[in-house]
Amino acid sequence: MSVLFAHLGELLTGLLTTLELAAIAFPLALVIGTLLGVCRVSPIGPLRAAAGFYVHCLRNSPMLLVMVMVVFGLPYLGATVPLFGSVVLGLGLYFGAYICETVRSGIAGVPLGQIEAARAIGLTFSGVLRQVVLPQAFRSMVQPLGNILINVCLGSALGAAVGVQELTGSARQFNLDFAQPIPTFIAAVIGYLLITLTIGQLTGVVERKVRIRR
């Protein structure tokens, strides 16, 4: 244990990298998922089909496979992306598919009468979405989005498989250097618990503040 405390900074650096991955990947997934969700409810058939195809492909694929394809596929296509950026992109693309379905469910929860009233006053499809549907949908999606953010944090551990020294990667390297598997990985588990429990608490606070009372 003394070795662990003496080199705790290495694990804290990994913890910080995990937070950075999640802080960048989740907004990216939110943008991708929202665009896909809008396409899923669009009146244009090819858009609905393309978004549905994307969601079904990603949700039925292992996240590690998606990560590996992004990390090694981009250089194959001639795109030079730093390893950290590739992991962020992989997380964003993968969890964007889950956010898409959350957005679609949120949109479905908006009362039909409000949508018809917005159309009656002359709003276009995009206007109805921006001014009426999406603001209400997001207020009802706080808890599901919080759960996806937790999954993004936990999923970032796969970055260790492709060489990013986030929390799991740092714990693995620390164990290789000092042969302290039990205390090292217990420390990593505590780090993930701190992240997920904090997100859970914050999500509950935000949900209570923005909850729609009907």
Side-chain angles (χ1 to χ4, degrees):
M1 289 293 289
S2 59
V3 175
L4 179 64
F5 285 113
H7 298 272
L8 196 58
E10 297 174 23
L11 292 180
L12 292 177
T13 301
L15 178 66
L16 181 61
T17 303
T18 293
L19 292 174
E20 290 174 344
L21 283 171
I24 302 174
F26 181 72
L28 176 63
L30 189 61
V31 171
I32 294 173
T34 302
L35 292 175
L36 288 171
V38 170
C39 290
R40 291 276 273 168
V41 299
S42 167
I44 303 174
L47 281 181
R48 291 199 307 273
F53 178 76
Y54 177 92
V55 169
H56 288 306
C57 286
L58 270 290
R59 292 186 66 184
N60 291 289
S61 299
M63 185 166 53
L64 179 59
L65 177 62
V66 175
M67 189 79 71
V68 169
M69 288 184 67
V70 172
V71 171
F72 296 102
L74 289 177
Y76 183 78
L77 296 174
T80 303
V81 180
L83 189 55
F84 183 90
S86 297
V87 173
V88 167
L89 182 59
L91 290 170
L93 291 173
Y94 187 81
F95 285 103
Y98 286 86
I99 290 181
C100 167
E101 292 304 279
T102 302
V103 170
R104 192 162 72 114
S105 299
I107 291 174
V110 176
L112 184 60
Q114 293 190 22
I115 298 174
E116 292 175 343
R119 287 174 177 166
I121 63 174
L123 290 179
T124 62
F125 175 75
S126 62
V128 172
L129 279 176
R130 285 186 288 104
Q131 300 181 37
V132 178
V133 176
L134 287 180
Q136 295 189 65
F138 274 107
R139 291 176 67 178
S140 66
M141 295 187 307
V142 173
Q143 194 64 50
L145 290 178
N147 292 336
I148 293 176
L149 175 57
I150 288 174
N151 286 327
V152 171
C153 294
L154 298 179
S156 68
L158 290 179
V162 294
V164 173
Q165 292 297 315
E166 43 67 62
L167 183 54
T168 299
S170 297
R172 185 179 63 180
Q173 186 60 49
F174 189 89
N175 181 51
L176 290 175
D177 293 339
F178 300 102
Q180 296 283 331
I182 302 301
T184 300
F185 286 104
I186 286 179
V189 168
I190 292 173
Y192 283 114
L193 279 173
L194 289 174
I195 294 173
T196 55
L197 293 177
T198 301
I199 293 173
Q201 290 295 319
L202 292 175
T203 300
V205 172
V206 174
E207 184 182 36
R208 286 192 291 274
K209 285 185 176 298
V210 304
R211 180 183 302 159
I212 298 175
R213 302 182 188 280
R214 294 192 172 98

